[in-house]
Amino acid sequence: MTELLMCLILFLPLLSAVLITLVLKRAAGTCGKLAIAAAVASFGFGVLVFAFESQWHGGVLLSVPWIELPGLSVGFGFLVDHLSVLMLLVVGAVGSAIHIYSYEYMRGDAGFSRYFAGLGLFMFSMYGIVVSGNLIQLFIFWELVGLSSYVLIGFWYERGAAADAAKKALITNRIGDFGFLVGILMLWGLTGTVDYDGIKNALSENPGVLGGLSTLTGLLIFCGAVGKSAQFPLHVWLPDAMEGPTPVSALIHAATMVAAGVYMLCRLSFVFLATPAWPEALSWLSAVTAPLVIAWVGGVTALLAALIATQQDDIKRILAYSTLSQLGYMVMAVGMIAPIAAMYHLTMHAFFKALLFMGAGSVIHAIAREQDIWKMGGLRKRMPLTFLVFLAATLALCGVPPFSGFYSKDEILLVAYGQSPGLFVLGMFVAFLTAFYMFRLIMVVFYGKARSAVVDKAHEGSITMTWPMVFLAVLSVVGGLIGVKHYLGAELAHGSVGESQWYLAVFAPFVHAPFIALIGLAAVVLGYISARTMYLGAASDPFPAGRALLARVLRRKLYVDEVYDRLNAVTQEAAAVFADWFDRWIIAGVCVRGAHGTTELTGRMLRLMQSGSLRAYSFWFGFGLVIVILISKSL
């Protein structure tokens, strides 16, 4: 029964994409309804798998032999456990809501059918990552997610910015994926298997099987997450990916695709347990371990992205940098060997960040596709429902109880408090910045006076846009109390899970760690007061006044793109120029034309010797004979 359900979950979105592309492309309305039906059905079957999980014991189901080579056996199957089932529910719930939302948002677009075909391909690819039971199957679907992301980011390919953003995302991810692939090969070479259970058993039986390559192997695996989850220094593709349709941003670049890297790290958390963890008194070189690097990469990404978000004016780019920052929190938790905290925040973030993008899309849709927040204002009265759900998602993101983000972020900060004071302080500062830039966004967009004529025509969207937002708003409010931490504890807990009951108490953080909860709330309140003081009623951004240099650096995204452009100029482009010169002058000039010219000149000279004169032939014969005699004497 479970095998059939898993097949339907995985292949229904692919079937819809194939039918839309090959059969129903001209019937736009039918294409949208088919894609929605497939997404909702997959989510429903995922709920059934969750409901009947007591009838199975987990593991790989329906494993079909696929690759059989000496030393390598790979099957194709479905891994069903608490972690994969949770992700099935997250991907299905968010994906279904966004499919329904997209039907109205994309109505009238010339590529309406192509859009839903792309969504179907993406859902198939993302489900494939979730249910894979080995690294080879995972990597194939990993690349398919990259392909579908390329298709959807560049959906409006006639716009140069969208096409460039799609290429940037694809190329940047290839850098991380190269390291990921090398890490997979190293795990196979050291453990003799690519199956999750096989690798885990090998590490359990022989903890030193990775030997001196343990840190390197862990970091190479992490490279895949650096690309897919847009961590520093490969974070540059995610903000540009906002050139795609807003529902794509909500689905791929807030809730699911970028979370794939965090999911992969949590799935392979046992690998990082086999690497040296947080040392206490070692030399600086031996102290550089995979978990330590992962945690600080996540922390630095969270900080840099939050700083940049404070000075962005595009509503979608603010949310994009917020996504980078929250992903940094999750990666930081993985580095501290707290996969439950990472998955907890991943789940909650999927709900409220998808809702934020959908709320932004509702605003953009209502004011003629305008995205500059300084051309908005006063939308609270014209779009009350959008304002309420956007506010709920903001409170969840900032970590205000009882909204979902409070519980998941508190869990990460609690782990940081116990392991690394530096990361704890960094996390608290990021919490302050998060409240600052999100309430800045709310003050500018929803309060004050209208700053352009398009705002006067703003109104709520149809029911197909508002009800998906309400659904996600409910999850954003109560999601933190549904027991994700306890549900994952049986498989991911490397130690005590903490809470033993299914439903977490509303005030549990204040009971177990009151200092962490209270200081986190203080950071949020301070961020809110700062944003309200600076931006409520402001006609333009007051921040650059007296801080011109800082504002310019943050607006230019810390000049990371410029550094990459210069680096490419002195490396890749310089190598390309040299290769062009070498091909033009050495290969084509000296080798090809030189060989051609030398042969032609020799032929012409030899042709002159063929005069038909017996006297001339006798002379050349004698001349050659003399040369031979001279050479023989010299030898």
Side-chain angles (χ1 to χ4, degrees):
M1 177 64 177
T2 307
E3 291 90 339
L4 176 60
L5 291 176
M6 296 301 292
C7 285
L8 292 172
I9 292 171
L10 178 61
F11 290 109
L12 277 179
L14 178 63
L15 178 61
S16 71
V18 171
L19 290 176
I20 290 171
T21 303
L22 300 181
V23 181
L24 303 172
K25 188 174 182 179
R26 296 184 182 277
T30 304
C31 291
K33 294 173 183 177
L34 176 63
I36 292 171
V40 173
S42 291
F43 173 52
F45 293 136
V47 173
L48 289 177
V49 171
F50 171 77
F52 293 107
E53 65 173 316
S54 60
Q55 299 181 10
W56 45 262
H57 302 288
V60 178
L61 303 175
L62 195 66
S63 183
V64 178
W66 181 26
I67 301 175
E68 295 291 341
L69 296 172
L72 177 64
S73 178
V74 180
F76 183 93
F78 305 119
L79 177 60
V80 183
D81 59 12
H82 286 189
L83 182 57
S84 62
V85 171
L86 175 65
M87 279 299 293
L88 286 178
L89 296 178
V90 171
V91 174
V94 175
S96 298
I98 292 173
H99 271 73
I100 297 171
Y101 176 92
S102 297
Y103 192 83
E104 173 65 23
Y105 189 91
M106 298 299 294
R107 185 188 297 272
D109 193 284
F112 188 87
S113 299
R114 175 166 54 87
Y115 171 82
F116 277 100
L119 287 187
L121 177 62
F122 171 80
M123 293 292 286
F124 164 71
S125 305
M126 191 63 206
Y127 278 134
I129 288 179
V130 172
V131 302
S132 294
N134 62 74
L135 290 171
I136 301 300
Q137 183 178 338
L138 169 72
F139 190 77
I140 291 173
F141 283 107
W142 190 271
E143 295 303 305
L144 281 174
V145 163
L147 172 63
S148 55
S149 173
Y150 171 79
V151 170
L152 290 169
I153 294 172
F155 175 74
W156 288 313
Y157 57 85
E158 65 277 4
R159 289 166 31 188
D164 290 342
K167 290 184 288 186
K168 187 175 184 178
L170 188 68
I171 294 170
T172 304
N173 273 274
R174 296 292 74 71
I175 298 172
D177 292 352
F178 175 76
F180 186 29
L181 181 59
V182 175
I184 291 174
L185 294 175
M186 289 186 67
L187 275 178
W188 170 47
L190 294 170
T191 64
T193 180
V194 293
D195 293 332
Y196 298 153
D197 288 340
I199 297 172
K200 188 174 183 179
N201 292 334
L203 293 173
S204 177
E205 295 171 2
N206 181 12
V209 68
L210 301 181
L213 297 175
S214 59
T215 295
L216 178 60
T217 302
L219 292 178
L220 287 170
I221 293 295
F222 177 54
C223 283
V226 171
K228 197 71 73 184
S229 291
Q231 297 297 287
F232 180 84
L234 299 182
H235 66 286
V236 292
W237 68 268
L238 184 61
D240 289 352
M242 297 302 108
E243 293 293 338
T246 302
V248 170
S249 303
L251 177 64
I252 298 181
H253 308 114
T256 52
M257 173 188 166
V258 292
V262 177
Y263 169 78
M264 181 270 291
L265 292 177
C266 293
R267 171 62 71 189
L268 298 177
S269 59
F270 52 83
V271 173
F272 303 108
L273 282 174
T275 66
W278 290 67
E280 297 179 358
L282 298 176
S283 67
W284 70 270
L285 183 61
S286 60
V288 178
T289 64
L292 182 66
V293 172
I294 291 171
W296 277 101
V297 167
V300 169
T301 302
L303 176 61
L304 296 182
L307 286 170
I308 295 172
T310 61
Q311 278 300 287
Q312 298 302 302
D313 295 334
D314 185 307
I315 186 171
K316 288 174 64 176
R317 285 184 179 269
I318 295 172
L319 299 180
Y321 280 106
S322 174
T323 297
L324 287 176
S325 186
Q326 298 305 306
L327 288 169
Y329 268 126
M330 302 173 206
V331 171
M332 185 171 71
V334 173
M336 294 184 293
I337 316 298
I340 292 180
M343 285 300 302
Y344 192 5
H345 197 52
L346 182 155
T347 304
M348 300 304 108
H349 178 264
F351 300 147
F352 58 70
K353 186 53 65 64
L355 176 57
L356 283 170
F357 270 106
M358 292 166 72
S362 180
V363 170
I364 294 168
H365 187 264
I367 58 174
R369 307 290 179 174
E370 179 60 60
Q371 296 183 198
D372 187 345
I373 61 173
W374 293 104
K375 295 181 180 178
M376 301 177 189
L379 288 172
R380 176 170 57 98
K381 296 179 180 179
R382 293 176 175 84
M383 305 180 69
L385 178 61
T386 298
F387 166 71
L388 288 176
V389 298
F390 200 94
L391 179 61
T394 297
L395 294 174
L397 170 61
C398 294
V400 176
F403 296 88
S404 59
F406 168 72
Y407 300 96
S408 57
K409 185 182 293 185
D410 181 82
E411 192 70 27
I412 295 175
L413 293 175
L414 178 61
V415 174
Y417 182 75
Q419 293 196 24
S420 173
L423 287 176
F424 173 73
V425 173
L426 184 150
M428 283 298 177
F429 184 54
V430 171
F432 159 75
L433 292 174
T434 301
F436 176 78
Y437 66 70
M438 285 307 302
F439 283 109
R440 168 184 180 261
L441 174 59
I442 285 182
M443 297 300 170
V444 174
V445 173
F446 293 101
Y447 286 85
K449 298 180 180 179
R451 300 181 183 87
S452 62
V454 293
V455 176
D456 296 330
K457 301 178 181 180
H459 59 84
E460 294 287 4
S462 67
I463 191 172
T464 56
M465 289 182 65
T466 55
W467 277 107
M469 292 195 295
V470 172
F471 169 68
L472 291 177
V474 172
L475 292 176
S476 298
V477 174
V478 304
L481 305 175
I482 59 178
V484 171
K485 178 181 174 182
H486 178 69
Y487 181 69
L488 293 175
E491 294 172 1
L492 291 181
H494 306 299
S496 176
V497 179
E499 296 291 336
S500 58
Q501 68 271 26
W502 176 260
Y503 294 97
L504 301 177
V506 175
F507 299 104
F510 295 99
V511 175
H512 297 295
F515 172 74
I516 306 299
L518 290 174
I519 196 173
L521 280 178
V524 174
V525 171
L526 184 60
Y528 166 76
I529 294 174
S530 301
R532 181 182 177 87
T533 302
M534 292 182 66
Y535 291 101
L536 183 60
S540 61
D541 196 342
F543 185 86
R547 310 176 189 87
L549 177 60
L550 178 59
R552 183 167 62 252
V553 171
L554 294 179
R555 287 177 184 274
R556 297 300 296 271
K557 301 166 287 186
L558 303 178
Y559 291 96
V560 175
D561 283 307
E562 287 78 1
V563 170
Y564 282 159
D565 288 340
R566 182 58 59 89
L567 183 63
N568 284 336
V570 300
T571 55
Q572 179 178 319
E573 292 184 16
V577 170
F578 172 76
D580 179 69
W581 174 86
F582 189 83
D583 180 69
R584 187 186 303 273
W585 294 102
I586 303 301
I587 302 299
V590 176
C591 297
V592 178
R593 293 191 181 92
H596 164 266
T598 302
T599 303
E600 183 180 16
L601 179 60
T602 303
R604 289 180 180 273
M605 292 175 62
L606 292 174
R607 186 180 65 183
L608 293 175
M609 296 173 63
Q610 304 301 317
S611 63
S613 172
L614 183 60
R615 182 183 300 174
Y617 293 158
S618 299
F619 169 77
W620 287 115
F621 178 79
F623 180 77
L625 185 61
V626 170
I627 296 298
V628 171
I629 293 172
L630 291 175
I631 293 175
S632 62
K633 285 185 176 182
S634 65
L635 295 176

